[in-house]
Amino acid sequence: CQVYTVLNKNDHKVYAIKQSSSQENEVIIKNEVATFKIFNNECPYIIKYYDFFKGKNESNQPCLCIQLEYCEYGNIREIIKQGRKRGVKIGELEISSIIYMVLKGINFIHSKNLINRDIKGRNILVGEKGIVKLCDFGICKEYKENKMKKYRGGSPYWMAPEILKKEEYNQNVDIWAIGITCIELAEFEPPYSKFNPETVIKKIIESPPKGLNDPSKWSPIFNDFISCCLNVDKKKRLFSDELLKHEFITMIDKKNLNRNLI
């Protein structure tokens, strides 16, 4: 899919337009639209959906388009890359703020009996006033107990071992992805980032990531939070409502700091 920034001539507001670029993308776009209709723009931590229509791409070929909220600061992945170039590192308070808003969004998604399945830095946008918003729901799927084994999808670096092993899984695969995203935020890359996707799948199955490369550089609270997310035993892995009570998330309230990012 291609995403463009556009100015609406009628209301003079800036939007993002997501276009399909193949038949496979059309299936993804249609699934995303159906998901947005379930969300109904109820959650402030999920990008807003405005319209779905048929249009034409730059090659003048017919395509499907989604009109979405424009987030002026872009995605967390790009923010990390820009910061790295300038020698600026995101600290634990910023990571806590980001993950708090991600968890609120995921908690809402799970309340609709859905699984996101594609959480990563590139799919976390930063909009007005630094509010974090989840995006890209093309492979978001309804959770059906004991019927998820056949559905695989997502980015291998962020995928839980049970998905890669083609086992049954539940909504807390999203929690695993949040744990990997914490590492991505802290260390600029997810674990095994130097390997190709096929190799990564084997490595995660054989030796699942346990946490940060050098835990001593980070607080015990942050290390514990990641451990809670990356529990290989899916039955012991926490869910979003439980993680929202973790001290790594609640410590911002204790210090009376604003949650706004950037």
Side-chain angles (χ1 to χ4, degrees), residues 9-47:
K9 292 181 179 178
N10 294 323
D11 63 13
H12 304 290
K13 292 182 180 179
V14 177
Y15 296 93
I17 296 290
K18 187 173 185 178
Q19 290 185 343
S20 62
S21 55
S22 66
Q23 285 189 331
E24 183 181 354
N25 286 154
E26 288 193 1
V27 173
I28 290 172
I29 289 243
K30 286 177 180 177
N31 183 72
E32 188 162 18
V33 169
T35 303
F36 274 124
K37 288 182 178 178
I38 294 171
F39 295 159
N40 197 32
N41 288 346
E42 293 173 15
C43 180
Y45 306 109
I46 291 176
I47 191 172

Side-chain angles (χ1 to χ4, degrees), residues 96-223:
S96 175
S97 180
I98 292 165
I99 297 301
Y100 163 75
M101 291 182 269
V102 169
L103 280 171
K104 292 290 281 187
I106 287 301
N107 194 47
F108 174 80
I109 291 169
H110 290 176
S111 75
K112 300 294 184 181
N113 199 41
L114 297 169
I115 308 179
N116 184 295
R117 301 200 304 159
D118 203 14
I119 299 165
K120 56 185 178 182
R122 202 179 298 278
N123 290 340
I124 302 170
L125 303 178
V126 182
E128 189 179 8
K129 296 181 180 178
I131 300 299
V132 159
K133 293 173 182 280
L134 296 175
C135 70
D136 206 340
F137 303 100
I139 61 169
C140 191
K141 194 157 191 70
E142 181 185 4
Y143 171 59
K144 296 179 180 179
E145 190 174 0
N146 299 322
K147 292 184 178 180
M148 301 306 298
K149 184 189 292 188
K150 62 181 178 180
Y151 300 114
R152 292 180 74 187
S155 304
Y157 303 88
W158 291 265
M159 286 169 72
E162 58 265 31
I163 299 181
L164 299 175
K165 292 178 183 177
K166 299 182 181 179
E167 298 174 349
E168 282 295 335
Y169 62 89
N170 60 24
Q171 290 169 313
N172 69 13
V173 297
D174 287 338
I175 301 306
W176 178 278
I178 287 174
I180 299 298
T181 302
C182 284
I183 296 173
E184 180 188 10
L185 291 171
E187 301 178 343
F188 303 114
E189 300 286 352
Y192 301 130
S193 61
K194 294 180 180 178
F195 297 95
N196 63 46
E198 292 77 16
T199 304
V200 166
I201 290 171
K202 292 179 183 178
K203 285 191 170 293
I204 292 175
I205 290 173
E206 293 169 1
S207 181
K210 295 180 179 179
L212 297 156
N213 282 325
D214 188 352
S216 66
K217 291 182 179 179
W218 305 89
S219 72
I221 296 171
F222 187 31
N223 282 294

Side-chain angles (χ1 to χ4, degrees), residues 232-254:
V232 177
D233 187 343
K234 59 189 177 186
K235 292 180 180 178
K236 294 180 180 178
R237 197 179 306 148
L238 301 183
F239 284 90
S240 54
D241 55 344
E242 296 171 301
L243 284 172
L244 282 165
K245 299 173 185 175
H246 193 282
E247 190 175 358
F248 179 65
I249 300 301
T250 61
M251 68 177 182
I252 293 182
D253 287 339
K254 289 179 181 178

